[in-house]
């Protein structure tokens, strides 16, 4: 398997999007274990009908069907494209890759030309139905869901510089069952739509940095938008971060108009939520140090191009995979004031 295909699997694993991907194909009844996620097949009710093993290789097995698969690409070829022959499943890998990129809003920047094959898409008739389902929005959870968790911030987050008050306001707590820090997700109206568990120790992080506890489609929401929307309208500006913690940290610096798009790309639905607030706001895209100017532009493709600005550290204020907030408030303000560039200057 090419390095490109391996990198895509690794990103799915690192960003905790395994369940979101499987759910897009109508798999259901997910049950996270220590080293795998068990689930039911789209048309089945066996709670262990199939499994994906939580490592960067994302190997998988379909236990209750007479079909041979090796990893998440093969599972997509079976569930989405309707292939059952092992050889045809393997030849379909690049269509499976394209499905992943489109479904999760991931960038295609590993440099391999997409190969073509003549296999038909047997589920083409489901495209419209799937599109309609996505537009319906995430299911709202009852507020009583929060009673399952200990709503006290973990000391590790405070040690990272996040303020206790803000962690409480963002409903950061602990899930005793999975021994993970929980992040709470609400839609633009403040309705509860999802909860994810973030690994506390390095051993669990090797399995999966994030695990869905109450799964939702991240591409339909912006983290913290329900709290930030009035400030975005007031200042006619929004700061967009990849990760949730960066958004919280920036708020602690005195910037309440911050959200996270929870990935490497701002989806069309996420962009629409912001444009609904005010068509004339400026978008300050604050991606991590390891992202290039091209990455920032690709991440912003659905935003109004004449209002998109990107923080781009050309002078080495950050290092590695630092977020623009990781070196503290003075460095962050230096970046947004002196190293923030219009991404589409000719628009």
């Amino acid at each position: 398997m090419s390095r490109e295909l391996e990198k895509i699997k690794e990103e799915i694993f690192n960003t905790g999007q395994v369940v979101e991907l499987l759910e897009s194909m109508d798999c259901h009844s997910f049950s996270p274990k220590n080293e795998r996620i068990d689930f039911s097949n789209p048309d089945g009710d066996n709670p262990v009908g199939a499994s994906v093993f939580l490592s960067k290789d994302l190997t998988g097995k379909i236990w209750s069907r007479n079909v041979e698969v090796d990893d998440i690409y093969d599972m997509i070829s079976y569930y989405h494209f309707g292939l059952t022959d092992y050889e045809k499943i393997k030849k379909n890998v690049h269509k499976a890759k394209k499905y992943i990129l489109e479904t999760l809003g991931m960038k295609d920047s590993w440099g391999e030309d997409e190969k073509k094959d003549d296999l038909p898409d047997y589920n083409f008739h489901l495209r419209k139905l799937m599109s309609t389902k996505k537009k319906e929005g995430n299911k709202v959870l009852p507020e009583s869901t929060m009673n399952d968790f200990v709503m006290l911030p973990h000391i590790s987050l405070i040690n990272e510089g996040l303020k206790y008050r803000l962690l409480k306001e963002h409903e950061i707590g602990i899930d005793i069952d999975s021994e993970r820090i929980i992040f709470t997700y609400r839609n633009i109206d403040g309705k509860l739509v999802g909860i994810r568990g973030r690994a506390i120790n390095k051993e669990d992080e090797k399995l999966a940095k994030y695990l869905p506890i109450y799964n939702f489609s991240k591409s339909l929401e912006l983290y913290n938008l329900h709290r930030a929307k009035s400030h975005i309208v007031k200042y006619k500006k929004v700061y967009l971060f990849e990760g949730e913690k960066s958004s919280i940290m920036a708020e602690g610096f005195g910037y309440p108009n911050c959200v996270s798009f929870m990935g490497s790309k701002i989806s069309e639905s996420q962009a629409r939520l912001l444009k609904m607030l005010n068509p004339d706001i400026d978008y300050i895209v604050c991606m991590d140090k390891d992202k290039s100017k091209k990455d920032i532009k690709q991440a912003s493709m659905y935003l109004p191009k004449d209002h998109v600005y990107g923080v781009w550290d050309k002078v080495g204020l950050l290092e590695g995979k630092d977020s623009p907030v990781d070196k503290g408030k003075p460095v962050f303000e230096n970046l947004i004031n002196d190293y923030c560039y219009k991404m589409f200057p000719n628009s």
Side-chain angles (χ1 to χ4, degrees), residues 130-147:
M130 290 178 64
S131 176
T132 303
K133 285 177 66 178
K134 288 182 180 179
K135 291 178 182 179
E136 290 176 354
N138 285 303
K139 177 183 177 181
V140 173
L141 301 172
E143 287 297 325
S144 58
T145 303
M146 301 304 297
N147 297 335

Side-chain angles (χ1 to χ4, degrees), residues 95-238:
K95 282 189 175 180
K97 168 201 145 185
K98 184 177 180 181
Y99 177 81
I100 290 173
L101 297 178
E102 292 177 349
T103 301
L104 300 182
M106 292 170 62
K107 60 184 181 180
D108 185 5
S109 60
W110 287 277
E112 179 179 289
D113 292 334
E114 190 166 301
K115 298 177 182 177
K116 305 294 182 182
D117 56 55
D118 298 324
L119 294 173
D121 178 357
Y122 293 101
N123 284 340
F124 70 92
H125 58 285
L126 296 178
R127 298 288 190 205
K128 187 174 181 180
L129 174 62
M130 290 178 64
S131 176
T132 303
K133 285 177 66 178
K134 288 182 180 179
K135 291 178 182 179
E136 290 176 354
N138 285 303
K139 177 183 177 181
V140 173
L141 301 172
E143 287 297 325
S144 58
T145 303
M146 301 304 297
N147 297 335
D148 295 339
F149 309 103
V150 177
M151 298 312 296
L152 291 172
H154 194 269
I155 187 64
S156 64
L157 297 179
I158 297 170
N159 290 340
E160 290 181 37
L162 295 165
K163 295 183 177 180
Y164 180 87
R165 172 184 61 82
L166 287 178
L167 291 172
K168 290 283 289 182
E169 290 180 10
H170 281 263
E171 300 174 287
I172 311 297
I174 299 171
D175 177 34
I176 299 298
D177 291 337
S178 66
E179 297 182 348
R180 286 174 174 262
I181 297 168
I182 67 152
F183 281 77
T184 303
Y185 300 86
R186 295 182 178 274
N187 63 21
I188 189 172
D189 299 317
K191 303 294 185 182
L192 182 66
V193 294
I195 295 172
R196 291 203 298 164
R198 186 182 189 277
I200 295 174
N201 57 60
K202 293 294 183 182
E203 186 174 326
D204 286 341
E205 191 169 322
K206 289 178 182 177
L207 296 175
K209 189 172 184 179
Y210 285 94
L211 278 180
I213 297 176
Y214 288 91
N215 194 47
F216 68 108
S217 177
K218 294 189 298 179
S219 65
L220 300 181
E221 315 292 350
L222 285 162
Y223 179 77
N224 193 47
L225 183 58
H226 67 292
R227 298 177 68 254
K229 60 185 179 182
S230 62
H231 303 289
I232 294 169
V233 171
K234 176 181 177 181
Y235 296 110
K236 292 187 176 181
K237 182 182 293 186
V238 58

Side-chain angles (χ1 to χ4, degrees), residues 39-41 44 46 48-50 61-67 78-79:
F39 56 94
S40 299
N41 292 303
N46 184 339
V48 195
K61 294 291 182 184
I62 301 176
W63 309 109
S64 61
R65 302 289 167 84
N66 186 27
V67 59
Y78 172 67
Y79 288 131

Side-chain angles (χ1 to χ4, degrees), residues 224-275:
N224 193 47
L225 183 58
H226 67 292
R227 298 177 68 254
K229 60 185 179 182
S230 62
H231 303 289
I232 294 169
V233 171
K234 176 181 177 181
Y235 296 110
K236 292 187 176 181
K237 182 182 293 186
V238 58
Y239 296 91
L240 295 115
F241 294 90
E242 293 181 64
E244 298 89 332
K245 288 197 305 177
S246 297
S247 173
I248 300 171
M249 184 74 78
E251 185 178 348
F253 293 162
Y255 296 84
N257 48 332
C258 296
V259 299
S260 165
F261 48 95
M262 304 173 283
S264 60
K265 182 179 178 182
I266 300 158
S267 72
E268 187 174 5
S269 296
Q270 290 171 329
R272 189 181 304 115
L273 288 172
L274 293 171
K275 287 185 280 189

Side-chain angles (χ1 to χ4, degrees), residues 271-284:
R272 189 181 304 115
L273 288 172
L274 293 171
K275 287 185 280 189
M276 284 168 47
L277 296 178
N278 186 327
D280 295 322
I281 63 176
D282 287 334
Y283 304 86
I284 315 301

